[in-house]
Amino acid sequence: MSGKVKVAVLGATGMIGQRFVEMLEDHPYFEIEGLYASERSEGKRFGDTLKVRDYNYKQETLDMKISKMDVDHISKACRIAFSGIPSELAGPTETELAQKGVAVFTNAGSHRMDPHVPIIVPEVNTDQFCSIKDQDTYGNGGYIVTNANCSSTGIVVPLRALNDAFGLNEVFVSTYQAISGAGYPGVPSLDIVGNVIPFISHEEEKMETELAKMLGTYADGEFKYAGFKVMANCARVPVIDGHTESLVIDMKESPSIEEVAKVLADFRGEPQKLGLPSAPEQPIIVRAEENRPQPIYDVFAGTPDRARGMASSVGRIRCSNGYYKMWVVSHNTLRGGAGGSMLNAEYAYKKGIL
Amino acid sequence: MSGKVKVAVLGATGMIGQRFVEMLEDHPYFEIEGLYASERSEGKRFGDTLKVRDYNYKQETLDMKISKMDVDHISKACRIAFSGIPSELAGPTETELAQKGVAVFTNAGSHRMDPHVPIIVPEVNTDQFCSIKDQDTYGNGGYIVTNANCSSTGIVVPLRALNDAFGLNEVFVSTYQAISGAGYPGVPSLDIVGNVIPFISHEEEKMETELAKMLGTYADGEFKYAGFKVMANCARVPVIDGHTESLVIDMKESPSIEEVAKVLADFRGEPQKLGLPSAPEQPIIVRAEENRPQPIYDVFAGTPDRARGMASSVGRIRCSNGYYKMWVVSHNTLRGGAGGSMLNAEYAYKKGIL
Amino acid sequence: MSGKVKVAVLGATGMIGQRFVEMLEDHPYFEIEGLYASERSEGKRFGDTLKVRDYNYKQETLDMKISKMDVDHISKACRIAFSGIPSELAGPTETELAQKGVAVFTNAGSHRMDPHVPIIVPEVNTDQFCSIKDQDTYGNGGYIVTNANCSSTGIVVPLRALNDAFGLNEVFVSTYQAISGAGYPGVPSLDIVGNVIPFISHEEEKMETELAKMLGTYADGEFKYAGFKVMANCARVPVIDGHTESLVIDMKESPSIEEVAKVLADFRGEPQKLGLPSAPEQPIIVRAEENRPQPIYDVFAGTPDRARGMASSVGRIRCSNGYYKMWVVSHNTLRGGAGGSMLNAEYAYKKGIL
Amino acid sequence: MSGKVKVAVLGATGMIGQRFVEMLEDHPYFEIEGLYASERSEGKRFGDTLKVRDYNYKQETLDMKISKMDVDHISKACRIAFSGIPSELAGPTETELAQKGVAVFTNAGSHRMDPHVPIIVPEVNTDQFCSIKDQDTYGNGGYIVTNANCSSTGIVVPLRALNDAFGLNEVFVSTYQAISGAGYPGVPSLDIVGNVIPFISHEEEKMETELAKMLGTYADGEFKYAGFKVMANCARVPVIDGHTESLVIDMKESPSIEEVAKVLADFRGEPQKLGLPSAPEQPIIVRAEENRPQPIYDVFAGTPDRARGMASSVGRIRCSNGYYKMWVVSHNTLRGGAGGSMLNAEYAYKKGIL
């Protein structure tokens, strides 16, 4: 008996599911009870479903078999379900699991706008964790916590730091999103090799609402959105992993570039204070070079161990006509996907919410 | 005797020079006197210096020989020099040619901020052509006219249309620039395959000043800049030809999306009125699809003959928090390079300024 | 009444179908009666189904509507069906059309190994055209003629020339195949960006048999295969259009490199002699450069009009240990796809076999 | 005093040099005395010269400063020099170092064909190590040992195994080489994005001679080449790291596919027997999947720690017309570059040749 919390990985043959598995190898709090996916994959060896290029699974993990999703079994065997199910399918399964008493930490978008479901990035808004108590299933021990959309996650930590220090008025963001963000098989190669696709379904709407929800508050049983405006343009580019984002920000105060850089580099949140296993020591890495951050170098930035894809790198902080301009790179399926929910679950564990 | 104006192509072994050659094949006004480049290329067959992938030169053009730059010879043999010389080298040569009476139409940035040198996109600001009369060399018949930086060119025609109709306050632009824009050898493949480089030297500064210069006026011997603000973030992406640009615009008026689309689609400028050979029938193509424009489909948009890379395609026109959002794709070495100067020279020819 | 032969394009929303449409614009012998595809695409505008990047369709073609496949209608309205239907679906439909009297020119592999169905590349084996007379449906006026697999097509013309002149013993071929060869959506971008996939289902087997069938004979009601051996290794690489092939050849004779080059460059076949509309003037272009052919430059090699993607480019002809080595590039969806069947139909038309 | 052997890394700002540094982090035998490069890089921080995408250097390594090449200093301070100097420059410097008593382990090709300089892949030919005793500088303690060209290295271990077991007659190899193999800046992006370049200067000649030299013997003061023939065609493809190679082999015996697979998988060489630190447990990984090996998954194959890029992966073993066909993937700058020389130096250390 390891004494670790048993967890199910849902959607284990997909891009996000496989990142969950990666983060669960030798995890100090959690251990994998089973890998679940659709009936089509039942019985397959995990190693034969690989989608992640830079994988480094143990042999015993590669040899695990995929099981068919079985809500009853999972709810009996596991305290936690990590969900990498595609958003269009995730909703009902996640609801059912929560009803049966499972704590669901999900990357899917299905429940992000539900009245009492929080979107948590624990460097940003652990105060909103309390909303789970208002979920119908909470009495049962079951609840749903979502991580943010990958593009929102990459910039929400820097925005939190800047909002706290200087106040945000308006955020103009253009994204350069990696193809792993579209899952597998995802984007056909004929569509993206040598191309830019300036459209990702519902992505801009998600960014424009999720950021305000996360930087807002939860009180009296409802979420109150933060007051700043977000204008988002989202595009796909031929990059494997790592979203790059161009930011122009109108702030209430007028700090110097150095002050902005210092506030970002010095920012620490709850995961850092609590020493959560997946937390990067420094959630925001500020780059001084004239041409960074870049996905190929910065997607795994930070310590320990290059932060396992959990830090946001910010660079080229400049000011133009009173607006602050900068670039951000983050790992879209780690920080912006599986890593987000992993950190949420670690927070819940550490705070005794499990 | 063809009766056509003799022209020299400078920098004929480079990316822009080769686009000049392409546009000069069977040109109704101009004929190539010689192809010029640095000493290193002297005597090479043009066809052995190819950089352009989708080339379609005639056999006799492929067989032309490259000559060493010779200002004296060019000034005697040619009325016009089209310059595709790299900006860091172009300045003195272009000045010398103008001094010797040559009309220089250049893609180089060296003289763009000179006091009496106009940056012309003839759909936008032919009224600034008069500034050449204040150049020292004009008495001699020589002058310099520049085309705009490739990223500025792609959006300046739509911005002109919108400014005329609704008034511009602020323009937020993020670019997704093709690698051909960096010339040859340009960007090392190890730097850009599967990557985004959020830095192009001086590009943002150029956009923030050139757009205001072009949409301003020339009076009393000096350029007066337009009053709106530009905030630019520029990045390189792994695309061969075609700059994609994300625009968010604050306008003085509040037109409907349909009105914006109509103003753009209906816009015509001097090149259209004069029927210049390289002018697209419609300088701005408005796309209705949810996922266009894209470089792979739209870089050659328009008529005649898919506009030879001379139209800007605009799509995904939306409104968010009172800001207008849209995407633009244009050909960076045709519309945004050689084609720009070609159109300027055609305008000069037609108006008798040669 | 144009007097042209009416043709149907089957699979018109796919990669090959769209190349058929491209080749049929202003065709001197044929005119499009209708564009056909699966029920899913019924009623769509052709222009809204674009897969081809370098398209140059007329506006009226872009505005054509897709019809659902209707064998009865097609057999009444058309003499010819050009089939770009995926191989796994094409078989029964093509058989039915032939039974109803239609001449089917197909890119699909379904019937290539049928006892009386020829695989024709008209520079190579028009003598095998006679096999159609032994098809059951021939009395009815219907028959099936296939073009070769894209990888076989690229090299079969050079192999014909070399076999005629020097005799082939063994051919070792490794392919570098473009992603357009897998159709659409085809290869997921996560699988191929920055990668090589050394496996294309059944491709090696096809090459090892089709080449011998085409260079063999048809007599006494059956195909006799040529005696040389083919050893093929096939891989997919991140190229949009254009298959590159590495060849090592053991020949019966020992010509000089110059003799090999001359035999290839001088080769002409029936399409050249008959002046067929889609025939390149020179079916094999021999390159002298040390680093050609390359897909980006040579996929459209040749005259007229860069041969519309119908010539094979051969370069780097060398000899090592008595083996002849060379590289070949050809357009996989034109020469190796739609263009192959188009040329077959043009041959049939010209020879009165329609 | 660590008691470790002091080593210099030459060409430390280049692609191979940086892989040497990576392999030297916490090395049990060796410790970095200094990082050397051309004058141009003198004083730069190592971390500011990064070329390797998947780097994972320690902070103190990133902060090391680059020194100018100083043969006198190096020869006094170091027993070993690892050379990642470009081949066209490496020759004289390496000779001078050997003359001054340094053991030079080099990736450069300059000395590979010298009369007494061995090309060592220690799984293959440690018996040739004795040739260093015939180098003029040996009395002084200095000598030169080269690793093989990257394309030869990837296949030489499998070829050794097959030659020992079944005897080789002829090897037909076509390469799909990664761009990191060309160093930095190396291949311009305009040349390789979406393209195949079927030419790498001198690569085919190197493969055709190096393989026979390595599989031959050294006796009576000279190298005797192995008797089999190699026919190589080499191409560059848009892959960052990892050479893929297509092999067709004529063997003296006729083993079953299973026997071939077993011989490859069971093969072990000196590095495995001696337990050298950089040796993979299994130098050849045999893949059973129908579509492997692939660079994106297999370039880091093996144990321990995915073998640090030191194993060759072999897959798709088939037989056609009596020829054996297979595909090989290996890491071109680790196994085929820095890792090769590292293993050579580890062998020398363990055997007391230092």
Side-chain angles (χ1 to χ4, degrees), chain A residues 9 18 22 53 95 120 196 199 208 234 274 279 293 304 334 342:
Chain A
V9 176
Q18 301 200 342
E22 182 182 325
R53 293 181 168 208
T95 300
I120 303 283
V196 170
F199 174 69
E208 296 185 357
C234 293
L274 297 171
L334 288 169
M342 188 59 55

Side-chain angles (χ1 to χ4, degrees), chain A residues 39-312:
Chain A
E39 207 158 341
R40 210 179 48 243
S41 300
E42 191 178 0
K44 279 194 188 158
R45 194 178 150 268
F46 177 67
D48 292 337
T49 70
L50 287 185
K51 309 287 184 300
V52 169
R53 293 181 168 208
D54 54 3
Y55 75 90
N56 199 359
Y57 300 104
K58 295 185 192 173
Q59 194 55 46
E60 64 198 72
T61 308
L62 290 169
D63 291 335
M64 287 183 76
K65 290 281 186 285
I66 305 294
S67 304
K68 188 177 55 172
M69 198 84 68
D70 176 340
V71 170
D72 275 329
H73 170 78
I74 294 169
S75 66
K76 280 171 203 145
C78 302
R79 176 67 189 103
I80 288 178
F82 287 109
S83 170
I85 308 177
S87 293
E88 61 278 21
L89 305 173
T93 302
E94 294 177 1
T95 300
E96 218 183 319
L97 283 164
Q99 284 167 347
K100 289 181 188 289
V102 177
V104 178
F105 293 90
T106 179
N107 179 63
S110 328
H111 293 290
R112 275 192 208 137
M113 289 299 142
D114 286 4
H116 309 296
V117 172
I119 308 173
I120 303 283
V121 171
E123 278 88 348
V124 170
N125 62 340
T126 48
D127 57 298
Q128 297 185 9
F129 229 108
C130 61
S131 62
I132 62 171
K133 296 184 185 161
D134 296 334
Q135 293 182 21
D136 292 343
T137 58
Y138 188 73
N140 229 5
Y143 57 82
I144 297 174
V145 172
T146 71
N147 61 251
N149 160 282
C150 49
S151 308
S152 305
T153 306
I155 58 172
V156 72
V157 186
L159 290 181
R160 161 99 282 167
L162 295 175
N163 197 31
D164 289 356
F166 312 116
L168 297 177
N169 281 325
E170 295 182 315
V171 175
F172 301 86
V173 57
S174 293
T175 67
Y176 301 65
Q177 297 185 222
I179 53 184
S180 61
Y184 186 89
V187 188
S189 53
L190 284 167
D191 287 346
I192 194 67
V193 170
N195 199 21
V196 170
I197 305 176
F199 174 69
I200 300 174
S201 191
H202 298 111
E203 193 81 354
E204 294 157 354
E205 296 84 339
K206 285 183 197 168
M207 292 192 78
E208 296 185 357
T209 55
E210 289 184 11
L211 288 166
K213 178 172 175 178
M214 284 189 279
L215 291 183
T217 55
Y218 185 80
D220 305 326
E222 61 182 24
F223 289 99
K224 300 203 167 41
Y225 285 48
F228 64 91
K229 294 179 191 170
V230 179
M231 276 62 65
N233 271 333
C234 293
R236 188 82 64 196
V237 294
V239 165
I240 298 301
D241 285 320
H243 285 359
T244 304
E245 303 182 60
S246 146
L247 280 180
V248 182
I249 305 174
D250 179 26
M251 300 203 286
K252 293 190 199 305
E253 299 182 24
S254 300
S256 69
I257 297 300
E258 292 68 30
E259 287 168 321
V260 171
K262 186 170 163 39
V263 157
L264 293 170
D266 289 352
F267 181 82
R268 298 293 182 278
E270 285 293 304
Q272 285 71 41
K273 288 171 199 154
L274 297 171
L276 299 181
S278 299
E281 283 179 12
Q282 213 180 320
I284 306 170
I285 312 281
V286 176
R287 310 283 335 172
E289 297 90 339
E290 69 175 8
N291 63 355
R292 296 276 287 270
Q294 295 178 22
I296 59 169
Y297 293 123
D298 295 306
V299 76
F300 282 107
T303 50
D305 295 338
R306 303 195 76 212
R308 306 176 198 102
M310 291 296 285
S312 288

